[in-house]
């Protein structure tokens, strides 16, 4: 039995020289991950089961609404508090057969599966494109610009309309009288259908409608568009925009001009300044400083949600229209369609059941897709479905903003030799694309996170959004925050190199302390600043120092494999910085069988929002989680909703749902007094219905005025010492989600490939409503953040890539060329822990937001790769072993390989392979 034995190796001919000896350090060149068996992935997930009172327990007078004492920082709840929570909302919830005294209703703070998890994993979950086609449904395909920037001289759709199965081809001229073609979340500078000009390749010109997808696509491709000369020179990168002075508010340095193809300015300002501490010039003029200058570049990122943009629009018999779309912004879709078709808002219904991912890409960019689909359905008076193919989606909808950060920073050693930061001056540029979309607030959040977790005695930063001829970039998990955070960490690495201190020593010596004011004036109050604690716990628990020593020993023994370890902290502010957006509504129905139906303004994209909202309702009513259900999100159930974004949805809709539940519970008090404390919710509801008591309620919640809103239009005040006082502008964040991560990687010097050997994450999520869901969010965010900074690179036909045709087109518009993190890219050992003994008295049930904050921690992989590359470079340039390495993100295999700067790389790129490094081209 068994396979035959391999034949013996042939003997060397007589007189042959002996085989060459390979140095042990060089033997690693023969090892390939392609040939190694895939290692098993593992790790630990640890989280506390503590539950502390949150915002729901507070009243304006300082006491709780139900007479329970307010929360105490990180102390366990008393027995009376436990009893109150077990009974639901302040003891008002029914007890007895509903299970209020059993573990069935202790749903908040416990791990529960995602409400639709089984449907997701079995493939039974119904998404927008899975909905059963209504009678007479037609299919749509977009007509898109193939040349830009360019004027549109003529459109000929006669041949397309004459094709079999084609119902019509719709353009801007086909909109109803009074319909507004202009759209945009901040400025109405974009058009649903390009009319007269094409501003970027892929811009929508029209939409073809036919009885099949194939016929619709053929019709769209048969439309003849004649283009004229561009009205302005093409610009695709930040560098080109800066050189041409192409900015969204016409700002270039201190000069202000106006722009747009009509010659009128947008009427808004996107260039903002943030200053704090002493005068920046005086700070740099001090003696004894170590001063560094440089720039950092970080590329864009494709959302790559599993479900592309999809919409089903259906006219209604009252002259309105119903739109089912895969969107994070139900209200944005609702208003855009109503404006485009000149319909009363009351006759337009926008709804979504679930999304197959969103990541911010479906906050605003779904609006033009839904509007085009609705325009087609309205024109042909039939249901129309529009589902974007992956390459169409990627080449049209935009992604994360590329950034270029130019900086000058200074630090010193104090009298005891401790490295201390002194000053930071930074200029941030982002590539906004052809239209503004959300680029302004994205830049604002980058500015607000540029400090990360460190105190800069003098801080001055300016952010400008560049206007280019690429699709408009938009919201993406983190919303500009990660770009500011990673730039800060790059600057600290640069300073540490010049100071000749370990980067972690510089980080630890300059972390904020309680009572410190952030650059925007917000003060870190006692009990809420936990990064130093998390840093100490993770550094010890993950054995960081021992692993660094082990990596150094490994590197000394291997020439062609190098390892790196990096540790990063983060703080991420929770709120919409626009005050009006910090609100949410919910509608709750209690049925006579004791079940609860909830509709709220948020949307479900796999993150578990509906599950958490149901947990809040189940706790309030004292019923099992299975008794609560969310069916869909719809504008005719909860009007004027806010997009599901900013990681704030559980905070907003959890409290709004609780508000509605409390209204119903208040009405049920007389019934409960009559039936006794053992009555179930079903008994209470039936009796209340017979007594003509309303069992439905609308709930509403808004963040306190004192804890939200930052108005950049307001000029900063002055402190008594003459330094800027940013508090006059407002209070941007309700609280901060905080944490740290350690990543350990191994780099193959010969190929530039890398593997994440281990990652450890510790995050402060207060008292988690559902730890299992939160840990899943942390893991997904970390890997997505690692992908952003390593494998994922968008390549456009720009000044750096003139061979891509047509210019302005996305080259790698699919998974074949755009490299998402795969199974092998996930950490082989992945440990996630939630900080214990943490509360958050300003959010529902003392929880904290989780969607975006862990994303940046994935950048620890980038800095670990950078450390491994530095070790490789030290082997070839010993004199430059301590030199600063200016490595841009993403650290793709190409960038890693060339940055290692060995003799093979030098032969490929020449003299540029020296200590200063070689920078491969990129679409920044």
């Amino acid at each position: 039995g068994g396979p035959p034995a391999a034949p013996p190796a042939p003997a060397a001919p007589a007189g042959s020289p002996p085989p060459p000896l390979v140095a042990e350090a060089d033997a690693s060149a023969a090892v390939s991950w392609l040939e190694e068996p895939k290692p098993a992935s593992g790790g630990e997930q640890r989280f506390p089961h503590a539950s502390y009172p949150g915002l729901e327990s507070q009243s304006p007078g300082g006491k709780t609404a139900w007479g329970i004492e307010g929360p105490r920082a990180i102390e366990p709840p008393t027995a009376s508090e436990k009893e109150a929570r077990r009974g639901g909302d302040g003891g008002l919830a029914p007890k007895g057969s509903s299970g209020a005294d059993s573990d069935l209703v202790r749903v908040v703070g416990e791990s529960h599966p995602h409400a639709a998890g089984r449907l997701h994993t079995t493939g039974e979950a119904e998404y927008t494109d899975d909905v059963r086609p209504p009678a007479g449904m037609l299919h749509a395909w977009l007509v898109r610009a193939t040349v830009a920037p360019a004027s549109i001289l003529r459109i000929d759709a006669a041949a397309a309309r004459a094709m079999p199965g084609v119902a019509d081809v719709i353009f801007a001229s086909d909109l109803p009288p009074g319909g507004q073609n202009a759209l945009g979340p901040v400025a109405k500078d974009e058009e649903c259908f390009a009319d007269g000009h094409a501003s970027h390749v892929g811009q929508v010109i029209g939409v073809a409608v036919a009885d099949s997808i194939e016929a619709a696509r053929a019709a769209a491709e048969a439309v003849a568009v004649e283009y004229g000369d561009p009205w302005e020179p093409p610009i695709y990168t930040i560098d080109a925009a800066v050189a041409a002075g192409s900015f969204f508010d016409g700002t270039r340095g201190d000069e202000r001009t106006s722009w747009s193809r009509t010659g009128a300015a947008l009427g808004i300002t996107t260039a903002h300044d943030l200053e704090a501490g002493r005068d920046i010039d005086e700070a740099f003029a001090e003696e004894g400083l170590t001063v560094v200058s440089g720039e950092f570049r970080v590329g864009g990122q494709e959302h790559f949600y599993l479900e592309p943009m999809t919409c089903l629009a259906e006219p209604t018999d009252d002259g309105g229209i119903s739109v089912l779309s895969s969107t994070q912004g139900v209200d944005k879709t609702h208003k855009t369609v109503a404006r485009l078709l000149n319909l009363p808002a009351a006759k337009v219904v926008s709804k979504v059941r679930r999304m197959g991912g969103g990541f911010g890409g479906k906050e605003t960019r779904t609006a033009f897709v839904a509007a085009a689909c609705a325009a087609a359905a309205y024109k042909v008076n039939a249901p129309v479905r529009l589902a974007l193919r992956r390459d169409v989606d990627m080449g049209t909808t935009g992604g994360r903003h590329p950034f270029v950060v130019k900086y000058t920073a200074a630090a010193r050693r104090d009298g005891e030799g401790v490295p201390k930061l002194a000053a930071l001056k930074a200029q941030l540029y982002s590539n906004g694309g052809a239209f503004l979309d959300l680029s302004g607030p994205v830049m604002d959040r980058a500015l607000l996170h540029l400090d990360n977790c460190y105190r800069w005695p003098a801080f001055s930063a300016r952010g400008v959004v560049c206007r280019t001829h690429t699709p408009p970039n938009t919201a993406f998990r983190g919303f500009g925050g990660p770009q500011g955070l990673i730039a800060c960490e790059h600057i600290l690495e640069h300073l540490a190199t010049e100071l000749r201190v370990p980067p972690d020593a510089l980080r630890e010596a300059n972390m904020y302390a309680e009572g410190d004011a952030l650059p925007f004036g917000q003060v870190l109050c006692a009990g809420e600043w936990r990064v130093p604690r998390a840093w100490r716990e993770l550094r010890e628990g993950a054995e960081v120092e021992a692993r660094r020593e082990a990596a150094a020993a490994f590197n000394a023994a291997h020439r062609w494999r190098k390892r790196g370890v990096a540790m990063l902290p983060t703080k991420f502010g929770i709120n919409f910085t626009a005050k009006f957006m910090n609100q949410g509504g919910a509608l709750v129905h209690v049925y006579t069988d004791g079940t609860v139906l909830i509709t709220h303004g948020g949307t479900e994209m796999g993150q578990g929002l509906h599950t958490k909202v149901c947990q809040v309702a189940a706790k309030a009513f004292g019923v099992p989680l299975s008794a609560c259900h969310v069916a869909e999100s719809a504008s005719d159930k909860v009007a004027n909703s806010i997009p599901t974004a900013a990681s704030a949805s559980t905070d907003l809709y959890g409290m709004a749902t609780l508000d509605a539940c409390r209204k119903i519970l208040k009405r049920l008090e007389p019934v409960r007094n009559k039936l006794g404390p053992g009555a179930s919710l079903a008994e209470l509801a039936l009796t209340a219905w017979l007594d003509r008591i309303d069992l439905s309620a609308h709930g509403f919640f808004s963040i306190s005025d004192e804890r939200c809103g930052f108005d950049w239009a307001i000029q900063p005040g002055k402190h008594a010492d003459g330094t800027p006082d940013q508090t006059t502008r407002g209070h941007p964040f309700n609280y901060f989600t905080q944490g740290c991560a350690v990543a350990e990687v191994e780099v193959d010097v010969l190929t530039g490939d890398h593997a994440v050997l281990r990652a450890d994450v510790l995050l402060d999520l207060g008292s988690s409503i559902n730890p299992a869901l939160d840990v899943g969010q942390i893991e997904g965010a970390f890997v997505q953040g690692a992908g952003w900074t390593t494998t994922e690179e968008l390549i456009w036909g720009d000044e750096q890539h003139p061979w891509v045709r047509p210019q302005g087109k996305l080259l790698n518009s699919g998974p074949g060329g755009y490299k998402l993190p795969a199974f092998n890219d996930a950490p082989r050992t992945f440990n996630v822990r939630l900080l214990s003994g943490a509360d958050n008295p300003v959010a529902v049930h003392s929880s904290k937001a989780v969607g975006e904050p862990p994303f940046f921690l994935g950048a620890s992989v980038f800095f670990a790769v950078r450390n491994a590359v530095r070790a490789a470079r030290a082997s070839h340039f010993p004199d430059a072993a301590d030199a600063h390495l200016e490595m841009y993100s993403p650290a793709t295999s190409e960038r890693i390989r060339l940055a290692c700067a060995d003799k093979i790389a030098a032969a490929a790129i020449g003299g540029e392979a020296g200590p200063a490094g070689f920078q491969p081209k990129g679409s920044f």
Side-chain angles (χ1 to χ4, degrees), residues 213-239:
I213 296 176
E214 294 77 12
R217 178 184 176 187
E221 293 175 348
V223 174
V225 180
E226 182 182 347
Y227 299 96
D229 295 333
W231 74 90
E232 58 187 356
I235 297 171
Y236 303 111
T237 63
I238 291 174
D239 288 341

Side-chain angles (χ1 to χ4, degrees), residues 105-286:
V105 296
R106 296 187 63 183
V107 291
V108 168
E110 300 294 326
S111 292
H112 294 274
H114 190 288
R118 183 186 63 81
L119 299 179
H120 292 161
T121 53
T122 60
E124 298 173 86
E126 185 178 90
Y127 295 92
T128 302
D129 203 37
D130 299 322
V131 173
R132 188 184 302 275
M137 189 190 79
L138 301 173
H139 297 270
W141 196 274
L142 297 178
V143 179
R144 302 188 302 144
T146 58
V147 179
S151 56
I152 299 175
L153 302 180
R154 186 175 63 89
I155 299 174
D156 185 356
R161 290 187 172 113
M163 297 175 71
V166 175
D168 205 347
V169 185
I170 291 91
F171 303 99
S173 57
D174 296 307
L175 294 178
Q180 299 182 46
N181 191 30
L183 55 85
V186 177
K188 300 294 186 287
D189 63 330
E190 189 174 358
E191 294 172 325
C192 182
F193 300 113
D195 188 12
H197 297 82
S199 295
H200 67 84
V201 171
Q203 185 176 358
V204 177
I205 296 175
V207 57
V209 185
D211 57 9
S212 70
I213 296 176
E214 294 77 12
R217 178 184 176 187
E221 293 175 348
V223 174
V225 180
E226 182 182 347
Y227 299 96
D229 295 333
W231 74 90
E232 58 187 356
I235 297 171
Y236 303 111
T237 63
I238 291 174
D239 288 341
V242 172
S246 179
F247 304 107
F248 269 99
D249 61 347
T251 302
R252 185 179 186 183
D254 294 326
E255 301 174 3
R256 292 187 178 273
T257 58
S258 64
W259 66 267
S260 85
R261 65 165 187 259
T262 60
L266 283 176
I268 60 174
T269 299
T270 60
H272 291 145
D273 297 277
L274 187 63
E275 296 183 346
R278 59 181 302 192
D279 180 80
I280 194 70
D281 294 326
E282 291 180 2
F284 279 115
E286 277 197 2

Side-chain angles (χ1 to χ4, degrees), residues 314-322 341 343-344 346-349 378 381:
E314 188 171 5
T316 57
D317 59 5
D318 59 359
I321 196 162
S322 175
L341 301 180
L343 289 174
K347 286 193 173 184
V348 176
V349 176
Y378 199 76
N381 194 30

